[in-house]
Amino acid sequence: MLYSHFSVTWVLLSVAVSGQFQRPSSKPSSSKDNGLRSACLGNVLRLTLDKTLAVGSQLEIDAIDGTDIIPLSHTLAAQCGYSVESDPWGNTKVFASLLGCYVDNQVDVVFTLGLRLRMYRDGHSEQVKHVTETCSYSPWASREILCDRNYMEVSLMVTPETPVKMVAGQQVHDSWEDAIPDAAVAPNGIWKMTFHTPDPKVMLLTDAQRAGYGAMMTQTRLVIRSPYNMAETYSVEVAGVPMEVFSVSTYYKTGNLIVDSAAACPTGGVVFTDKVITWHVPRRITPLISSAVKILETHMGIYGQRLDKTKMATRHYKMSVMESHIIIEIPVGSPDGYYKSHAQDYAYHITYTVEPMLELLWRAENTQADTRYKVLFPITTPLMPRPPHVIDSTVPEQRVFDILLGTFLHDVELMNITFTTRVLTVAECNARGFDVQEHHFANGSKTFSLRVPFSDELVLKQNPDPLTTVYFLPLVFGLLVLPEQTPFPHPAELEASREDVVLPTITGSCDQENFYFSVKYGSKQDNFQTMMLHAGSWRELDTELAKLYSLTGNGTHFSIVVPFTAPAAAFELVHFKSIRARVDLLLLEMPNMWQLDDLSLACYFPLTTTECYSNGTATALAVKVESVSNLNPEYLTLRDQSCKPAFSNDRFAFFSFKLNSCGTTRTVRLLLGLITHQHTVSCYYLLNHTKTMAFRASPRRTDPVADPGVGHLVVQIRLSQDSSYALFYQNEDYPVEKYLRQPLYFEVELMQSTDPQIEVVLENCWATLHKDRTSLPSWDLIVDSCENLDDLYLTVFHPVVADTRVQVPAHIKRFSINMFTFTKDDAVLKEQIFVHCDAVLCDTTKPDGICSGQCANALRYANSLRPTGSKRGMAPFI
């Protein structure tokens, strides 16, 4: 043989990636049991290897020429009329020209081709297949031109009647052999070749073959073959379509024949849109046609296989013969092609590849010379951006991020996911409790789904307000395009919010000596700051205070114990035998300074402020209350200013004195500057003195009989315009408009009575939203003649003294409250408020029970638990 042998490998890459997912389903294709199919397609033989045979392997193709095995390199394949095409699924097609090298040619009618296919995996031979295929092709056209992916081929019929070429108007004679040195006659009769580039370049046959050209004679035809982009080929534009041309004159020694041949193959002419590929081929290919021609046949096909009109219509293919072009239109995505993924500049793109065929038969005018022109033209679209989309299907109530990423072609694999602090493979994600899945669709595409619980530490959390949590999950999907293993990322930022914060709460109670507080953690555990009103200013419950107030706790709550005499307790009111103290706690979220909860707990504690002794001495304890913030007990004195406290600090002054000293009368006054704070100390003694008296009893003649009488006692309640109780609102003034926390001054009076032995006692007072005194909701203002201890803003009783209007002060009771409104489910009820009272008319000569006086038994209620009532809110009231 005259051809040099080179070994090369066609590598059919389909890399299997280990991971969580199975490989995508393959493109369906029919095949024989051995995975090989063959088809005779006119002047071309096509051999198809199914992907089950070739995927993941390296394929080497050898030609069988009798007993010789010739490896087909890329160069030799183009020189000899072979080409190979493989798609991403591993389906491989081998095309061979029937006039190619190593084809057994029987009279240019029957052609037999033998190939040896060697498939390697991991460098070791795995399969060897010998293939022998036979095709028949007849009749041949006078000239046949074949444009394949890697070569151009022209064959012409050469017979004894082939005319002798005229050179410069003269017939070529035998003297040409003598004129050219080394003009040895080749076995097939070809002597030399002149390439027109377009300038002539003469090469002997052996030189042309060494340069990569193919030239041979069959029994009836001359075959010339040229790879693309050779030094002796050139490009032209024909009707706006770029074409590559080779033109050669072949010289025969025998018969002094000179045969001109040329091939012109399109290298462009494709127009792309998102939906259609349009391929233009010149109707008149001027490098091949010198006179008018008539087109006899036009055929469209795919991968060398002609399609009839029915199949073209089914696939929506169109072929139009226009004045200057033959136009083929192919929808992007037709089933005869395939998509491929790419990661250009780390961004996801796809291309679509299809290989249409155009076959023409034309005849020059006034001749019987026909030309069959066949083009196998692989077309790949430009890169089409297909940015993936993240579909967020998260339902916050389910507390799981639920997203879908796609859509991708099946040659994309998800390798890993990058979170804020680490990178996890797909397997590691699923092992962690995430749910990563791959979903396949009938059209061959796929998506990836990801589910991540809100509770995972990789999920970032933020609170825009005390009750709401915003969950963030920034991540980057790490994807890979196969078989090139080209990586590309796709970032995503997920966000969901829900009102799921359980706030911490404070509860409290009292006994005879201490306040007891318990703070229950919410959903954020101890991520808050506890503030305590301590010695008149807010202070964090730090280590020092925690130790002072015996803090104990666990994972759910902590507790403290505050003695009522501690600095954290503010004194509100002092009675003869008790003191009312209050402790304020506040829970703050830092650093937003959100108030999460607060509690102001006030309780009565037993406290003796005066002691009288039988030896004529007395002790008195003066207490600084919250309302007199500028009082300094150290400077308190008795009436005699020389009588100073026996002991004092910033809250107490303790006096010890004889009852006949320090200016003691029936009242002892404690003085500070110009402000007088009066505290009365009373001592009662039983005198050791006996008197004898005589008396005589007379028997009663009749039982005493009461003198009955009938009358009306009227009690009215009025709202004063201010604390002077001088002016009152009249019936026509109601409803009266007041702002929240604005004082309301009420007066309850017994009318039309001057009996000094009757006293009005307010047993219960309450407020409702409706005029009906039994309606709900309601809120207690006075309970059992005392203020409601459950109220943060306690009812205040005001003294009544005689004046020109008030004749009997015992007939009148006065109290004030701060304006409020009701709330329901945290909504403010902006409606009218009605105040009701139950009054008891008491005989002052028989004090007992409720008639002991207004709130005479305060200690009975001092340490009781707070009653449950309706909630009071703070909002404008009209």
Side-chain angles (χ1 to χ4, degrees):
M1 304 299 292
L2 298 178
Y3 303 107
S4 299
H5 296 166
F6 301 91
S7 178
V8 76
T9 301
W10 275 274
V11 182
L12 306 180
L13 292 175
S14 182
V15 179
V17 180
S18 62
Q20 184 68 21
F21 307 125
Q22 297 180 349
R23 290 189 51 78
S25 58
S26 301
K27 179 181 178 181
S29 60
S30 61
S31 63
K32 297 180 181 179
D33 293 340
N34 59 4
L36 292 172
R37 292 174 297 167
S38 63
C40 298
L41 307 174
N43 55 3
V44 174
L45 167 67
R46 185 184 71 196
L47 181 66
T48 300
L49 287 75
D50 188 78
K51 65 122 183 151
T52 58
L53 181 65
V55 68
S57 302
Q58 294 178 338
L59 173 66
E60 291 186 1
I61 302 176
D62 302 326
I64 301 175
D65 187 16
T67 60
D68 295 331
I69 302 297
I70 300 94
L72 291 175
S73 67
H74 288 291
T75 302
L76 186 59
Q79 188 177 23
C80 286
Y82 295 87
S83 66
V84 176
E85 185 273 342
S86 180
D87 65 20
W89 298 275
N91 296 301
T92 302
K93 297 177 178 63
V94 180
F95 294 87
S97 169
L98 296 185
L99 297 177
C101 310
Y102 321 117
V103 177
D104 183 20
N105 185 340
Q106 300 294 325
V107 200
D108 289 335
V109 175
V110 178
F111 305 87
T112 302
L113 172 64
L115 295 176
R116 185 177 72 170
L117 308 178
R118 292 179 295 163
M119 282 148 283
Y120 291 84
R121 183 167 296 179
D122 299 327
H124 302 287
S125 179
E126 185 178 78
Q127 294 188 63
V128 177
K129 286 188 175 291
H130 292 80
V131 180
T132 302
E133 297 293 342
T134 300
C135 291
S136 299
Y137 180 60
S138 180
W140 289 84
S142 303
R143 177 173 62 171
E144 298 216 358
I145 298 172
L146 175 62
C147 299
D148 203 343
R149 70 192 69 248
N150 57 338
Y151 66 88
M152 301 177 284
E153 177 185 285
V154 57
S155 69
L156 300 96
M157 185 179 296
V158 179
T159 64
E161 293 77 21
T162 300
V164 176
K165 181 177 179 180
M166 302 299 294
V167 178
Q170 299 181 0
Q171 187 174 6
V172 177
H173 297 287
D174 293 342
S175 59
W176 278 78
E177 179 180 0
D178 300 329
I180 301 178
D182 301 324
V185 178
N188 57 14
I190 299 175
W191 170 29
K192 66 175 182 177
M193 305 171 73
T194 298
F195 292 89
H196 306 284
T197 62
D199 297 330
K201 182 177 179 180
V202 179
M203 301 176 69
L204 295 177
L205 175 62
T206 55
D207 294 332
Q209 292 173 335
R210 194 176 297 113
Y213 295 100
M216 60 179 292
M217 278 288 301
T218 68
Q219 186 167 350
T220 61
R221 305 186 72 79
L222 169 66
V223 183
I224 307 294
R225 192 176 299 107
S226 171
Y228 289 95
N229 301 314
M230 298 292 284
E232 290 73 35
T233 62
Y234 62 94
S235 298
V236 297
E237 276 200 5
V238 180
V241 176
M243 305 192 78
E244 188 159 354
V245 180
F246 82 88
S247 176
V248 62
S249 297
T250 304
Y251 292 78
Y252 290 81
K253 174 63 177 176
T254 303
N256 295 321
L257 296 179
I258 304 174
V259 179
D260 288 336
S261 56
C265 295
T267 57
V270 182
V271 177
F272 299 98
T273 67
D274 291 339
K275 296 182 178 180
V276 178
I277 299 171
T278 305
W279 177 30
H280 299 76
V281 178
R283 178 174 178 178
R284 179 181 175 85
I285 304 174
T286 52
L288 306 178
I289 299 173
S290 58
S291 61
V293 298
K294 179 180 181 181
I295 295 179
L296 304 178
E297 297 178 13
T298 58
H299 304 281
M300 179 196 171
I302 295 293
Y303 292 112
Q305 179 76 52
R306 290 181 183 179
L307 298 178
D308 58 28
K309 292 183 179 180
T310 300
K311 292 182 178 179
M312 289 179 60
T314 301
R315 291 165 168 79
H316 304 288
Y317 296 155
K318 295 180 181 179
M319 182 173 65
S320 306
V321 180
M322 311 302 289
E323 182 178 354
S324 58
H325 296 88
I326 297 172
I327 301 174
I328 291 177
E329 295 180 65
I330 301 173
V332 174
S334 68
D336 293 315
Y338 61 87
Y339 284 104
K340 181 72 181 73
S341 297
H342 305 270
Q344 181 75 16
D345 297 328
Y346 299 103
Y348 185 58
H349 297 73
I350 64 170
T351 57
Y352 174 76
T353 299
V354 67
E355 185 174 309
M357 180 199 73
L358 175 63
E359 185 177 344
L360 304 175
L361 180 66
W362 70 70
R363 177 176 297 169
E365 288 185 351
N366 303 321
T367 69
Q368 295 299 313
D370 297 338
T371 297
R372 186 170 299 279
Y373 183 77
K374 181 185 288 188
V375 183
L376 305 179
F377 196 74
I379 298 175
T380 298
T381 64
L383 290 173
M384 297 180 286
R386 289 295 186 271
H389 296 283
V390 173
I391 300 176
D392 191 349
S393 302
T394 301
V395 178
E397 289 71 23
Q398 297 178 357
R399 299 183 58 81
V400 175
F401 282 112
D402 186 356
I403 63 169
L404 194 69
L405 175 67
T407 303
F408 301 100
L409 300 180
H410 52 69
D411 56 355
V412 173
E413 294 289 347
L414 175 62
M415 303 305 298
N416 55 52
I417 303 176
T418 300
F419 298 92
T420 52
T421 58
R422 68 194 67 183
V423 180
L424 300 178
T425 65
V426 171
E428 290 171 338
C429 286
N430 285 327
R432 190 182 178 92
F434 302 169
D435 185 9
V436 184
Q437 294 187 23
E438 180 177 308
H439 307 273
H440 297 266
F441 301 95
N443 62 359
S445 63
K446 67 166 63 170
T447 59
F448 302 99
S449 63
L450 170 65
R451 289 172 58 87
V452 179
F454 287 178
S455 57
D456 193 276
E457 64 178 10
L458 296 178
V459 178
L460 307 180
K461 304 171 183 67
Q462 181 181 347
N463 296 99
D465 59 65
L467 295 176
T468 303
T469 304
V470 179
Y471 298 88
F472 299 95
L473 184 61
L475 50 84
V476 178
F477 292 96
L479 300 141
L480 198 67
V481 175
L482 301 178
E484 299 84 358
Q485 300 194 58
T486 307
F488 69 98
H490 185 75
E493 290 190 2
L494 309 179
E495 178 179 327
S497 62
R498 63 190 307 261
E499 291 188 359
D500 58 356
V501 178
V502 179
L503 297 179
T505 55
I506 312 172
T507 56
S509 62
C510 305
D511 62 11
Q512 296 291 308
E513 297 179 350
N514 301 305
F515 293 91
Y516 297 90
F517 293 97
S518 178
V519 177
K520 183 179 180 182
Y521 301 145
S523 57
K524 300 187 69 175
Q525 295 301 308
D526 58 350
N527 188 25
F528 57 87
Q529 193 171 91
T530 304
M531 305 297 294
M532 173 179 283
L533 189 59
H534 195 270
S537 60
W538 287 103
R539 179 177 169 182
E540 182 184 358
L541 184 62
D542 53 16
T543 304
E544 179 184 354
L545 292 184
K547 183 178 180 181
L548 179 63
Y549 298 130
S550 306
L551 186 145
T552 59
N554 55 29
T556 62
H557 70 281
F558 73 85
S559 302
I560 57 174
V561 179
V562 181
F564 81 91
T565 57
F571 299 145
E572 294 184 330
L573 189 64
V574 179
H575 291 281
F576 178 64
K577 291 292 186 179
S578 66
I579 185 171
R580 187 171 71 191
R582 186 190 77 251
V583 174
D584 297 307
L585 291 182
L586 181 64
L587 304 183
L588 293 179
E589 190 276 341
M590 307 298 289
N592 297 304
M593 298 299 292
W594 290 327
Q595 180 174 323
L596 306 180
D597 195 20
D598 69 300
L599 178 63
S600 181
L601 179 60
C603 296
Y604 283 92
F605 297 91
L607 179 67
T608 300
T609 59
T610 303
E611 290 283 351
C612 300
Y613 300 96
S614 60
N615 62 359
T617 62
T619 59
L621 182 66
V623 181
K624 176 183 176 179
V625 294
E626 185 181 36
S627 60
V628 191
S629 59
N630 59 348
L631 177 66
N632 188 343
E634 179 184 357
Y635 298 109
L636 292 176
T637 67
L638 299 181
R639 174 174 292 179
D640 184 346
Q641 296 187 10
S642 64
C643 295
K644 298 181 178 180
F647 164 80
S648 67
N649 58 20
D650 60 343
R651 310 188 77 188
F652 300 97
F654 178 75
F655 294 88
S656 179
F657 55 94
K658 293 183 178 180
L659 292 177
N660 60 356
S661 65
C662 297
T664 303
T665 60
R666 301 180 67 182
T667 301
V668 178
R669 295 184 177 179
L670 309 180
L671 304 178
L672 174 62
L674 298 177
I675 303 175
T676 301
H677 301 278
Q678 180 175 302
H679 178 70
T680 302
V681 178
S682 300
C683 293
Y684 298 88
Y685 293 90
L686 294 177
L687 299 178
N688 188 13
H689 181 71
T690 303
K691 282 189 177 184
T692 302
M693 47 186 343
F695 67 94
R696 184 182 62 177
S698 299
R700 188 171 57 193
R701 297 180 180 179
T702 59
D703 292 331
V705 178
D707 187 13
V710 178
H712 296 279
L713 294 177
V714 178
V715 179
Q716 70 172 3
I717 182 170
R718 294 190 295 176
L719 179 61
S720 175
Q721 296 185 13
D722 53 38
S723 60
S724 68
Y725 290 88
L727 297 175
F728 295 85
Y729 292 102
Q730 305 303 312
N731 290 337
E732 59 269 20
D733 297 327
Y734 291 93
V736 177
E737 296 182 356
K738 293 290 183 179
Y739 294 99
L740 287 177
R741 300 186 184 178
Q742 184 176 356
L744 302 177
Y745 300 95
F746 293 91
E747 181 182 273
V748 178
E749 181 182 6
L750 173 62
M751 307 295 293
Q752 302 172 358
S753 175
T754 59
D755 188 347
Q757 294 184 350
I758 297 178
E759 181 182 7
V760 173
V761 175
L762 299 179
E763 184 178 23
N764 296 292
C765 291
W766 65 98
T768 63
L769 276 177
H770 308 287
K771 194 172 183 179
D772 183 359
R773 59 193 282 125
T774 62
S775 63
L776 294 176
S778 67
W779 183 256
D780 293 329
L781 305 175
I782 296 174
V783 179
D784 291 337
S785 81
C786 292
E787 60 268 39
N788 179 10
L789 297 182
D790 192 46
D791 202 332
L792 182 61
Y793 301 91
L794 294 176
T795 301
V796 178
F797 293 98
H798 297 279
V800 181
V801 297
D803 57 23
T804 56
R805 184 175 71 85
V806 179
Q807 302 299 318
V808 183
H811 290 183
I812 295 177
K813 285 294 183 288
R814 292 172 177 168
F815 67 91
S816 64
I817 63 173
N818 289 338
M819 182 59 199
F820 68 95
T821 185
F822 287 92
T823 62
K824 182 178 182 181
D825 297 331
D826 294 330
V828 175
L829 304 178
K830 299 181 180 179
E831 301 179 24
Q832 296 181 3
I833 290 181
F834 296 83
V835 176
H836 315 270
C837 284
D838 286 336
V840 178
L841 302 183
C842 296
D843 184 352
T844 58
T845 63
K846 299 177 181 179
D848 182 49
I850 194 68
C851 288
S852 298
Q854 193 73 50
C855 201
N857 297 316
L859 286 179
R860 183 176 56 179
Y861 313 104
N863 301 315
S864 62
L865 293 177
R866 302 169 71 173
T868 301
S870 301
K871 296 175 65 177
R872 293 178 66 177
M874 293 300 171
F877 170 77
I878 297 177

